[in-house]
Amino acid sequence: MKKFYLIIFLMFFLVISIKAQDRNESHEKIKSLKIAYLTEQLALTSSEAEKFWPIYNSFDQEQHELRMKQRSEIRKALKEKVEIDAIDEKEAERLIMSKLAIDKQLYESQKEFVQKIKNIISYKKIIKLQMAEMEFGRKLLKKYHQNGERN
């Protein structure tokens, strides 16, 4: 009987490990596609790219973490209450204040990022970067929806 439980446990662990690995590989693949897309759209010189990517990657990671924190707080509140209507006014106010605080951090992070890269790439390229990020997101979402329709 112990062997049976051990086998079940190992199979469960293996499935979870494979799912986590798939998720990480998927995330890394998207990140690589995004880097290639942004590089192409910005037409970065090798000198610009060398200075730009470390700053951008740090900024992108910070933005991602802040957005995840924001989503996590809302999910946590909804998980406990099941739906928005079950949240009392105090909790709703706390969530809104938290969101506004994180929005301010996101803004400050973007402002700091522009200050750092304005000496590396032109303001025109900064605008191109912002447009390319939005376009990449749209293309990724469109591809996701297309793949979802096939399954």
Side-chain angles (χ1 to χ4, degrees):
M1 194 64 157
K2 285 183 182 180
K3 284 184 181 181
F4 176 75
Y5 286 124
L6 181 61
I7 290 170
I8 296 294
F9 174 76
L10 289 174
M11 289 176 66
F12 178 73
F13 181 74
L14 182 63
V15 167
I16 289 175
S17 296
I18 290 171
K19 286 230 182 248
Q21 186 177 4
D22 286 348
R23 211 173 299 130
N24 287 339
E25 286 174 5
S26 215
H27 183 70
E28 288 303 314
K29 184 178 179 184
I30 290 169
K31 191 174 180 179
S32 295
L33 289 170
K34 183 178 180 181
I35 288 170
Y37 184 78
L38 294 179
T39 299
E40 178 186 331
Q41 294 300 307
L42 295 177
L44 296 173
T45 66
S46 58
S47 174
E48 288 173 332
E50 185 180 316
K51 296 171 189 167
F52 172 81
W53 284 113
I55 296 168
Y56 179 82
N57 289 334
S58 175
F59 162 74
D60 194 45
Q61 181 64 34
E62 181 180 12
Q63 293 278 302
H64 176 74
E65 287 170 6
L66 287 169
R67 286 187 184 100
M68 291 303 293
K69 180 180 176 184
Q70 198 170 50
R71 287 184 199 118
S72 172
E73 283 201 31
I74 292 169
R75 273 192 215 114
K76 183 180 173 188
L78 291 177
K79 190 175 190 178
E80 293 169 2
K81 303 290 184 184
V82 180
E83 59 182 48
I84 293 173
D85 290 332
I87 295 174
D88 63 28
E89 275 302 303
K90 269 284 199 228
E91 180 66 6
E93 180 184 12
R94 188 192 70 73
L95 286 172
I96 292 296
M97 291 301 131
S98 174
K99 181 195 179 307
L100 292 174
I102 292 173
D103 285 348
K104 186 176 181 180
Q105 289 175 306
L106 286 163
Y107 167 76
E108 291 298 328
S109 172
Q110 290 170 357
K111 194 169 135 182
E112 183 181 320
F113 172 68
V114 169
Q115 288 299 313
K116 287 179 181 177
I117 64 164
K118 72 180 184 181
N119 298 320
I120 298 168
I121 62 174
S122 69
Y123 281 108
K124 281 185 180 182
K125 282 190 179 182
I126 294 171
I127 292 171
K128 282 183 180 182
L129 169 66
Q130 293 171 341
M131 298 302 288
E133 285 177 317
M134 287 187 284
E135 185 61 28
F136 181 79
R138 279 193 289 272
K139 286 182 179 198
L140 190 62
L141 209 55
K142 185 177 179 181
K143 186 171 177 65
Y144 175 77
H145 285 298
Q146 286 173 345
N147 287 344
E149 291 172 3
R150 286 185 216 147
N151 294 334

